[in-house]
Amino acid sequence: MHYICVGLHIVSYTLNTTSLFVKEPFDSQYHCGALLGSGGFGSVFSGQRLCDGLQVRLQTHSFTSAFIPSSLELVCLSVCLSVGGHASVVRMLDWFEVEGRGFLLVLERPPHGQDLFDFITERGALPERLALRFFRQIVEGLRFLHAHGVVHRDIKDENIVVDTRTLDVKIIDFGSGAPLKETPYSEFEGTRVYSPPEWIVSQSYEAVPLTVWSLGVLLFDMVCGDIPFERDQDIVGAAPVFTRRVSKECQSLIRWCLSYRPEERPTLEEILSHPWMEGGEAEEEEHSSLPNQSL
């Protein structure tokens, strides 16, 4: 049995086949469906739980030469599960060790789910009211993660799943996640075009300023239909050029999140109290009282 401390939580997990209980084999509990995508850490498949037909997301992770990187997602999601989870964070339903190969995670999958990248690609720039609805849920989910000692480190449109029926969102893919700490990080496995200037310049960053910078890029992406920076020199310039008509309040929040100096960026709590966020609360309440429908 191995242990890792994440915040105030001690998470245990087995890295061999010896266990105090016998888990039913994967094949007797789940059906593996089509490949949904693949990346550096593993692959993602559609799946179904056999006992009740629940649609799930199956995510493989390969062992690497380092000590625990392939299991960090398992650890992060176990922490979330241990404290009851959050509506805006994907929920882990089960996990299996594939002997000598890595881990297979069983995650919830919204029946009408679509990642935010495809959602924006199909529809173009989002109305600010809808962007605000998504953004608030994402920030609340990140507050939950930080409060329980987890930093995601790869917030981007591809790692947000939208339920197109309810317009609820979930943060997914914790493959770049890590225990939250107050001291700087010197490694980064996220997406470079979402990384902050301090990483480009000095290969160092802190958890909250990194997260907030990524949120600024994400919000720009939602309201303009594309990310603000593609090249390192543009990231370091930290001067987004708005390609669409965006309200002054929304621009203000984006520019604040994309402040060059990490210490000048807002906290997650300050984001939630920004006038643009507060100005949309009445509209969101009105929307939530309407019957759910797909866009």
Side-chain angles (χ1 to χ4, degrees):
M1 187 75 74
H2 293 251
Y3 299 88
I4 185 169
C5 180
V6 182
L8 298 178
H9 303 276
I10 302 293
V11 178
S12 63
Y13 55 95
T14 303
L15 289 179
N16 54 51
T17 54
T18 303
S19 178
L20 296 177
F21 63 93
V22 178
K23 177 181 274 193
E24 290 293 321
F26 170 81
D27 290 342
S28 69
Q29 298 185 66
Y30 298 94
H31 167 72
C32 183
L35 176 69
L36 299 177
S38 59
F41 288 98
S43 301
V44 180
F45 298 84
S46 64
Q48 186 177 51
R49 191 163 61 188
L50 298 178
C51 67
D52 58 4
L54 180 70
Q55 297 298 308
V56 297
R57 173 186 176 100
L58 305 173
Q59 197 159 306
T60 66
H61 281 266
S62 301
F63 285 125
T64 67
S65 58
F67 175 48
I68 312 181
S70 64
S71 64
L72 274 175
E73 180 158 16
L74 172 59
V75 172
C76 292
L77 289 170
S78 295
V79 170
C80 297
L81 188 62
S82 72
V83 293
H86 189 278
S88 298
V89 177
V90 68
R91 186 178 182 87
M92 183 173 67
L93 304 175
D94 207 342
W95 66 274
F96 298 84
E97 182 188 358
V98 183
E99 187 172 2
R101 294 174 59 189
F103 294 102
L104 189 154
L105 310 183
V106 182
L107 308 170
E108 64 178 337
R109 180 159 67 100
H112 301 276
Q114 181 181 38
D115 75 49
L116 185 56
F117 175 86
D118 290 337
F119 190 92
I120 294 171
T121 299
E122 288 185 6
R123 296 164 175 79
L126 306 183
E128 286 189 30
R129 176 178 170 182
L130 181 58
L132 187 151
R133 178 180 175 86
F134 291 167
F135 195 65
R136 179 179 284 119
Q137 293 177 68
I138 295 164
V139 176
E140 290 285 11
L142 291 169
R143 284 184 72 203
F144 165 82
L145 292 174
H146 288 193
H148 294 96
V150 173
V151 58
H152 187 281
R153 298 200 301 183
D154 197 19
I155 292 300
K156 60 180 179 179
D157 51 11
E158 292 172 284
N159 288 339
I160 306 296
V161 169
V162 180
D163 187 322
T164 58
R165 182 188 57 183
T166 64
L167 301 181
D168 292 331
V169 303
K170 290 186 184 293
I171 301 167
I172 65 168
D173 195 346
F174 285 73
S176 298
L180 181 71
K181 61 180 182 177
E182 295 183 1
T183 54
Y185 296 79
S186 58
E187 74 290 330
F188 181 72
E189 295 174 348
T191 303
R192 193 168 183 88
V193 291
Y194 279 80
S195 66
E198 58 269 26
W199 171 251
I200 303 299
V201 173
S202 60
Q203 287 73 59
S204 178
Y205 62 89
E206 294 183 359
V208 174
L210 163 78
T211 300
V212 170
W213 175 275
S214 298
L215 284 170
V217 175
L218 180 63
L219 181 53
F220 183 101
D221 181 33
M222 285 195 280
V223 298
C224 290
D226 202 356
I227 57 175
F229 312 122
E230 293 283 358
R231 302 173 301 172
D232 286 358
Q233 63 193 69
D234 297 327
I235 294 172
V236 174
V241 177
F242 289 85
T243 55
R244 293 182 179 269
R245 188 167 187 152
V246 178
S247 70
K248 291 181 179 179
E249 292 80 7
C250 185
Q251 287 194 37
S252 167
L253 178 55
I254 291 172
R255 294 185 194 279
W256 194 12
C257 292
L258 298 179
S259 298
Y260 177 82
R261 296 181 181 276
E263 63 272 16
E264 293 178 358
R265 294 172 206 153
T267 63
L268 297 181
E269 291 72 23
E270 287 173 329
I271 288 176
L272 290 171
S273 63
H274 187 273
W276 184 71
M277 301 290 288
E278 294 186 330
E281 287 181 350
E283 288 188 354
E284 272 216 79
E285 290 174 3
E286 176 187 348
H287 177 86
S288 63
S289 67
L290 298 175
N292 290 329
Q293 56 182 356
S294 298
L295 291 183

